[in-house]
Every structure is written in C-alpha cells, then in structure tokens.
C-alpha cells in the first residue's frame, strides 16, 4: 500500500478534494451509536470521496477524540481503503492462487502495458486505477477481473483492450446491448400494486420503472430499465458508485424493502411485483449488478 | 494464589501474573525482546516461548502474554523451547544484524552464524516504541501502519507529528536502534554496525573534512591498530 501510494503521488498535483467538515460530522453522527464503528465511518467517507483524504482522517480523529495514529493505522491496514485519489474506473485483477495458475499475471501485465502504469497506480488522465487483489472468491472462473463492480471471468489477454474501451463507454450501456438474456418485465409496487412503469420516459427503448429514491439526504426520482438483465438507469441526482439507496413507491410512498439482502454486497434487496405473477428483486447498491427474478 | 509446576518445581504465584512473571519470580531466566516492565505485554517477538502441558498436548506459548493457570506444567528450557528460541534469534539476526541487543542475545544462545539472507532492516516491529509513546509518554504520536510485508512504524502521513514532544522515549526503548552508537555512553553500546557497512572514512582522502558521528567507531579502531 505504501509503495503504491508513493508511486501515484509522483503525478502532477493530484487533485485533492475539498473536505466538507459538515459531511464528515454527518457520517460520524450516523455511526455514533457504540464503539468500533471506525471502519464503517471510513467506508462511508471513502464512498463519498472515492478515497480517504488526509483532512477527513484528521477531522475524524479530532471529532472522535481518537489518536490520529489509530485512524491512520486502520486506514492503511485494510486493502479496501486508499489514501490516494483513484481514477474514474477501478480495475481489480485477481492474483489469487487459482487465477494465478490460470494465467492472471499475464492479464495484469497486459493491463499494465495497455495503461502504461504499474499495479497500484493511476493513469495520468485519472481514468483508470489498476490494483491487484488476492482472491475474489470466484476461483473456478479465473482469471477474474472486476471493473467498476462488473465481474469478468476467464479473461484472456486479447480481451483486455476491449474491456478498457467498454469501461470508458460505461458497462451500464454495453450491458443491455450484449447481455445474452435480457427480456422486458412490467412491475408494480408490492404494497399498493400500482404500476411502476413510466411510458413517458423510455430506457433501452422500453417504458422505464419509476421509483423515488433517497440517499445522503438527497431525494429524487430514479428510473430503471425494464429490461431484465440491463443495468441502465437515469436519476435526478447522480448517485455515487457503491452508495446504498433507499427506494420508495412514487404512488403510496411506502419504502420498497424486503427481508433479503444482496448475496454479493449485503445491501438490502428492493422487491417489486412482476405482472403475470412473481417478484423481482434488485440490489439497492449503485453499481451492484445483482438481481433476482422469481416467477410464480 | 495459583499453583503450578515450573521446570519440575511446585510453585505458588499471584493470581493474574503471566508465566514470564512467574518464572522470573522463581529466578528462572527467560529471554525477552518485545517485553518491557511498565509496558503492556504484546507478544510480538516470540522469544519468550515456553512449553506448557505434557505429552502430545504440549505446546509452545509466549510466556509474556500467557496467564498462569492452576495446575499448569511449564518448561522454560526444554530442548524444544531452546530449538525454537534459537531459530527465532537466527531470524531476528537476519533481519536486524546490526542491533547490539539482538547480537548479544544471539551470542548468549550460542548462535555463531545465521543461515538466512540478511535484510538490514532497522525495525523488528516489536512495538516497544509504540507502547512507550502511548502508555508512558501519553502522546500516541507513532503507531503501526500498513500490513504484512509493508508494515512499518511511524507517524501518520509520514510528517512530523503535532503530538510528539520529542521526548526520545521511543528511541530509548528500541532494541534495534542504531542511535545507540551515539548515545550518552557509547562505550557500553557499540553495536558494530559500522563494521558491517563500508564507512565513508575508509577512503579518507576524498573526505578530508568528514565529520563522523560514530565514536568510537570499529573501523577507526581497526585502522589505528594496523
Ligand atoms: S519522541 Fe515522540 S514519538 Fe517518541 S515516545 Fe516521545 S512523544 Fe512518542
Ligand atoms: S522501532 Fe524499535 S522499538 Fe519500535 S517496533 Fe521497531 S524495533 Fe521495536
Ligand atoms: S517477550 Fe514475549 S513475545 Fe516478545
């Protein structure tokens, strides 16, 4: 981590963000109940800024009365935290044993070659950050690469360039066109049974699913593609990646929340009724592709 | 009081004491490195290993952190303990060959050579400085950073800490510190590190005005004698 950090500081004046102390205070108040919440606080800060800014860590130490060295020690201990701003797109290439024997080092080399950076660094245009991870828990599918929350299995060297291009255009768009199993569904609110379909706002050429959402004290509409398998969305407020969003029915204003949590990221799943019988659940975390269709 | 058996001796020790304290109370020597009276036990160096239990259940534990238990059988110098201890010392010596403390411990245990690649680290991550700063100096200026091979000791963000009062407590307790060479009583604290390096003074003509802080210096002594 420290070595990687040193490498990326060599870039010309990395754009440090301005840390809003109020924002930090809000995050702290949210987690104030009980001790041992520092990891959760740091996770929220990283979700907000994309990395852990020095000012933010100092603010956390100040406000909680914890020694700065503890906060810093924790922030440097876990791989999921970074003290350097990351690029817009995060590439995590697995170098775990299974991926390793299936040729992951060659994939990493190819990424390094294509991007002109070493693992742990960020490209000068701040588009890509390349990092290696030690296991993604999908060993049978190796070599596994995760780009912006999308998993790619059995990646070959020849696929790397294409993946980078797709990342630049956005997988959300690429997905709909290429996914093998996409089909349209009509959904309604599980509480009031009003249709959530919005004819006036097509996404992927189909009426979209309209909900209201709130996150980070922001409240607004969100429209999801009604193609099962597509991740295209449109939202009033830009939702930062990895944010967990609360969904509401625009008609009865009930929160769309069930008992199940996402198998991939443990965020709550959002249930909706499917016309014709059954339910569909989508993960409430921005960027998490999990969804689950149950037809009855 | 807790009754236990150390090296075949039946002994009574106070409740809450560690095996290390119990053994020392009985006058049985156990070498330590990361342990320091007045600092909380940490169990980082594993040098204080002792064997507890009997037969197939016997196992090695670090005595500085293991609490004395009723009826425990402890061996502080069984051949298994000594073997493990020598291995630890050899590894420590490989990572910090210049440390006077480790050299002394190694020689006391009859280690004449070590088989591993020398690293010349300046820290064995024993955490003494961290605990000193936190528990005795109440400063919490330094701490562990990173993880695994990248673990290191230092201040947050590698900048001078605002809460450090430059008391020097951390340097004072460090078993690997080379600053001993320049300490108040250098005679008693030569680590010989300079003999392992090639001091710039070896090529004296090029360094006419060289000011050396290593006094006494092994290299100088050797040069004077020959
Ligand atoms: S010199 Fe600074 S870092 Fe070292 S023990 Fe004293 S206060 Fe702590
Ligand atoms: S600097 Fe010295 S006292 Fe501190 S952890 Fe390293 S070896 Fe131990
Ligand atoms: S003295 Fe017990 S582990 Fe270091």
């Amino acid at each position: 981590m420290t070595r990687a950090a040193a490498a990326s500081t060599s870039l010309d004046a990395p754009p440090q963000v301005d840390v809003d102390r109020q924002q930090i205070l809000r995050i702290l108040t949210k987690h104030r109940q009980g001790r041992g919440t520092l990891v959760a606080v740091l996770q929220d800060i990283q979700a907000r800024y994309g990395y852990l800014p020095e000012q933010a860590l100092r603010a956390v130490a100040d406000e909680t009365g914890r020694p700065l060295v503890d906060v810093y020690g924790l922030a440097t201990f876990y791989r999921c935290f970074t003290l350097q701003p990351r690029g817009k797109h995060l590439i995590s290439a697995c170098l775990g044993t299974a991926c390793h024997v299936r040729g992951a080092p060659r994939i990493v080399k190819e990424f390094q070659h294509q991007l002109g950076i070493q693992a742990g660094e960020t490209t000068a245009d701040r588009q890509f950050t390349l990092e290696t991870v030690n296991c993604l828990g999908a060993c049978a599918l190796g070599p596994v690469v995760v780009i912006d929350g999308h998993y790619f299995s059995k990646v070959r060297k020849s696929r790397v360039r294409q993946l980078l291009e797709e990342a630049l255009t956005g997988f959300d768009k690429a997905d709909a066109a290429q996914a093998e199993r996409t089909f349209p569904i009509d959904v309604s609110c599980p509480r009031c049974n009003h249709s959530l379909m919005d004819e006036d706002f097509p996404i992927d050429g189909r009426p979209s699913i309209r909900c209201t959402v709130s996150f980070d004290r922001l409240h607004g509409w969100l429209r999801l593609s009604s193609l099962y398998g597509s991740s295209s969305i449109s939202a009033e407020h830009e939702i930062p990646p990895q944010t967990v969003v609360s969904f509401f029915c625009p008609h009865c204003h009930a929160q769309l929340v069930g008992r199940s949590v996402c198998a991939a990221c443990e965020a709550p799943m959002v249930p909706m009724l499917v016309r014709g019988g059954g339910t569909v659940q989508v993960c409430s975390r921005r960027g998490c592709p999990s969804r689950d269709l149950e037809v009855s | 009081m807790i009754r236990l058996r150390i090296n075949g001796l039946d002994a009574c020790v106070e409740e809450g004491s560690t095996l290390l304290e119990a053994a020392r109370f009985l006058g049985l020597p156990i070498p330590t490195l990361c342990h320091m009276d007045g600092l909380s036990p940490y169990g980082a160096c594993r040098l204080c290993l002792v064997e507890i239990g009997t037969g197939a259940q016997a196992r090695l534990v670090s005595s500085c952190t293991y609490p004395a238990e009723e009826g425990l059988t402890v061996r502080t110098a069984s051949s298994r303990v000594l073997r493990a201890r020598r291995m630890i010392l050899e590894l420590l010596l490989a990572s910090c060959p210049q440390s006077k403390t480790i050299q002394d411990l190694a020689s006391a245990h009859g280690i004449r050579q070590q088989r591993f690649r020398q690293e010349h680290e300046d820290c064995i991550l024993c955490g003494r400085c961290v605990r000193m700063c936190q528990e005795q100096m109440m400063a919490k200026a330094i701490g562990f950073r990173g993880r695994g091979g990248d673990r290191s000791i230092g201040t947050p963000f590698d900048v001078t800490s605002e809460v450090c009062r430059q008391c020097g407590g951390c340097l004072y307790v460090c078993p690997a510190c080379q600053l001993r060479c320049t300490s108040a009583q250098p005679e008693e604290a030569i680590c010989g590190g300079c003999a392992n390096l090639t001091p710039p003074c070896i090529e004296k003509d090029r360094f006419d005005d060289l000011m050396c802080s290593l006094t006494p210096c092994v290299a100088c002594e050797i040069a004077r004698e020959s």
Side-chain angles (χ1 to χ4, degrees):
Chain A
M1 167 129 251
T2 41
R3 233 173 284 139
S8 45
T9 39
S10 60
L11 287 170
D12 313 330
Q16 302 279 337
V17 294
D18 273 336
V19 174
D20 173 9
R21 208 173 175 106
Q22 289 310 314
Q23 183 73 42
I24 304 287
L25 270 178
R26 271 204 292 279
I27 293 176
L28 281 170
T29 340
K30 183 174 145 207
H31 292 288
R32 189 136 284 171
Q33 63 284 57
R35 285 167 49 81
T37 53
L38 191 53
V39 171
V41 168
L42 295 189
Q43 275 174 332
D44 275 9
I45 294 175
Q46 175 141 326
R48 181 81 184 68
Y49 297 102
Y51 75 108
L52 296 175
E54 176 172 342
Q55 286 164 294
L57 292 188
R58 287 186 186 275
V60 169
D62 269 7
E63 296 295 339
T64 56
R66 296 182 75 122
L68 179 62
V69 36
D70 284 2
V71 181
Y72 184 80
L74 194 80
T76 54
F77 185 84
Y78 290 108
R79 276 290 289 272
C80 61
F81 294 133
T82 166
L83 297 181
Q84 295 297 322
R86 278 188 176 153
K88 219 165 129 201
H89 306 283
L90 175 65
I91 306 169
S92 315
C94 184
L95 273 183
T97 315
C99 288
H100 198 280
V101 296
R102 285 162 181 258
R106 266 175 289 146
I107 306 297
V108 174
K109 260 218 188 98
E110 182 65 13
F111 271 113
Q112 292 179 341
H113 177 73
Q114 293 280 346
L115 295 169
I117 53 171
Q118 293 300 306
E121 293 180 3
T122 301
T123 53
D125 59 3
R126 304 219 150 260
Q127 283 296 334
F128 289 103
T129 295
L130 176 64
E131 63 168 31
T132 59
V133 293
N134 290 332
C135 186
L136 290 162
C139 302
L141 300 175
V144 180
V145 173
V146 181
I147 306 181
D148 297 341
H150 296 254
Y151 282 66
F152 299 94
S153 57
K154 303 200 172 144
V155 176
R156 301 173 152 273
K157 221 172 121 182
S158 51
R159 180 118 184 261
V160 166
R161 159 145 246 153
Q162 182 202 341
L163 282 178
L164 291 176
E165 278 161 15
E166 276 176 34
L168 281 176
T169 45
F171 291 109
D172 288 355
K173 288 189 203 98
D175 260 358
Q178 285 178 9
E180 289 138 32
R181 287 189 65 221
T182 57
F183 49 88
I185 46 174
D186 277 4
V187 295
S188 57
C189 167
R191 183 154 171 258
C192 66
N193 213 3
H194 266 94
S195 170
L196 298 174
M197 306 310 293
D198 187 354
E199 312 259 333
D200 304 330
F201 198 108
I203 295 183
D204 291 337
R206 286 255 321 149
S208 58
I209 301 172
R210 180 163 71 107
C211 310
T212 43
V213 292
S214 72
F215 62 96
D216 262 353
R217 308 211 155 181
L218 289 174
H219 200 78
W221 55 260
L222 171 78
R223 284 176 169 89
L224 308 162
S225 167
S226 61
L227 279 183
Y228 185 77
S230 157
S231 301
S232 314
I233 63 162
S234 170
E236 184 172 348
H237 306 288
E238 176 157 3
I239 308 174
Q242 306 304 326
T243 316
V244 176
V245 178
S246 308
F247 284 68
F248 300 89
C249 169
H251 307 289
C252 68
H253 305 294
Q255 183 166 4
L256 303 178
V257 62
R259 254 162 308 181
S260 46
V261 293
C262 170
C265 71
E266 302 202 335
M269 296 292 276
V270 178
M272 288 177 248
L273 293 182
V274 181
R275 221 182 74 199
T279 51
V280 64
Q281 307 213 46
V282 296
C283 178
S284 58
R285 190 185 297 276
R286 171 82 179 102
C288 175
S290 283
R291 66 205 74 226
D292 188 16
L293 180 65
E294 250 175 59
V295 191
S296 57
Chain B
M1 291 301 251
I2 290 176
R3 266 170 312 189
L4 70 174
R5 210 176 159 82
I6 304 188
N7 292 359
L9 291 173
D10 285 317
C12 267
V13 294
E14 244 172 78
E15 211 146 312
S17 51
T18 61
L19 291 185
L20 178 68
E21 282 159 354
R24 291 207 165 151
F25 176 70
L26 297 174
L28 301 166
I30 294 180
T32 56
L33 198 51
C34 68
H35 173 86
M36 193 174 187
D37 289 334
L39 301 183
S40 56
Y42 188 61
C45 71
R46 314 315 280 178
L47 198 59
C48 63
L49 288 178
V50 295
E51 197 175 4
I52 60 167
T54 47
Q57 267 92 53
R59 59 196 180 103
L60 297 175
V61 297
S62 59
S63 63
C64 67
T65 52
Y66 202 93
E69 284 169 0
E70 186 69 34
L72 201 66
T73 317
V74 185
R75 282 175 303 280
T76 65
S78 64
S79 63
R80 184 176 173 197
V81 168
L82 292 182
R83 233 181 313 130
R85 219 173 256 166
R86 271 204 290 273
M87 173 59 94
I88 291 164
L89 274 170
E90 235 180 278
L91 287 164
L92 285 170
L93 200 56
S95 63
C96 270
Q98 72 280 18
S99 153
K100 156 99 168 136
T101 315
I102 297 173
Q103 288 171 4
D104 286 352
L105 277 166
S107 97
H109 284 79
I111 290 163
R112 296 285 171 265
Q113 58 170 31
Q114 53 87 11
R115 296 159 283 176
F116 308 105
R117 186 162 54 87
Q118 295 206 342
E119 300 272 2
H120 294 285
E121 301 282 350
D122 40 23
C123 173
I124 54 166
L125 299 172
C126 70
R128 267 208 208 190
C129 52
V130 175
R131 283 171 289 148
M132 182 71 173
C133 186
Q134 175 163 352
E135 294 168 16
Q136 295 292 338
M137 300 309 166
M138 309 297 169
K140 299 194 181 174
I142 50 175
F144 286 99
R145 307 161 318 164
R147 178 169 60 163
D150 291 335
R151 198 154 165 84
S152 67
I153 300 274
T155 56
F157 306 104
D158 270 326
V159 294
T160 312
S161 165
E162 294 122 45
V163 287
C164 169
R165 18 189 145 79
Q166 314 266 321
C167 65
C170 48
L171 298 177
Y172 181 73
V173 297
C174 178
C177 183
Q178 301 181 45
L179 273 167
R180 275 161 195 275
C181 301
T182 52
S183 76
Q185 284 149 335
E187 292 83 358
E188 287 164 27
I190 307 175
C191 67
C194 46
N196 298 332
L197 313 168
T198 314
C201 55
I202 298 286
E203 306 146 359
K204 271 251 167 60
D205 346 328
R206 284 209 276 129
F207 293 94
D208 276 343
D209 309 321
L210 185 88
M211 273 175 66
C212 179
S213 57
L214 297 175
T215 49
C217 167
V218 176
C220 292
E221 295 297 323
I222 296 169
R224 196 174 306 148
E225 268 163 32
S226 56

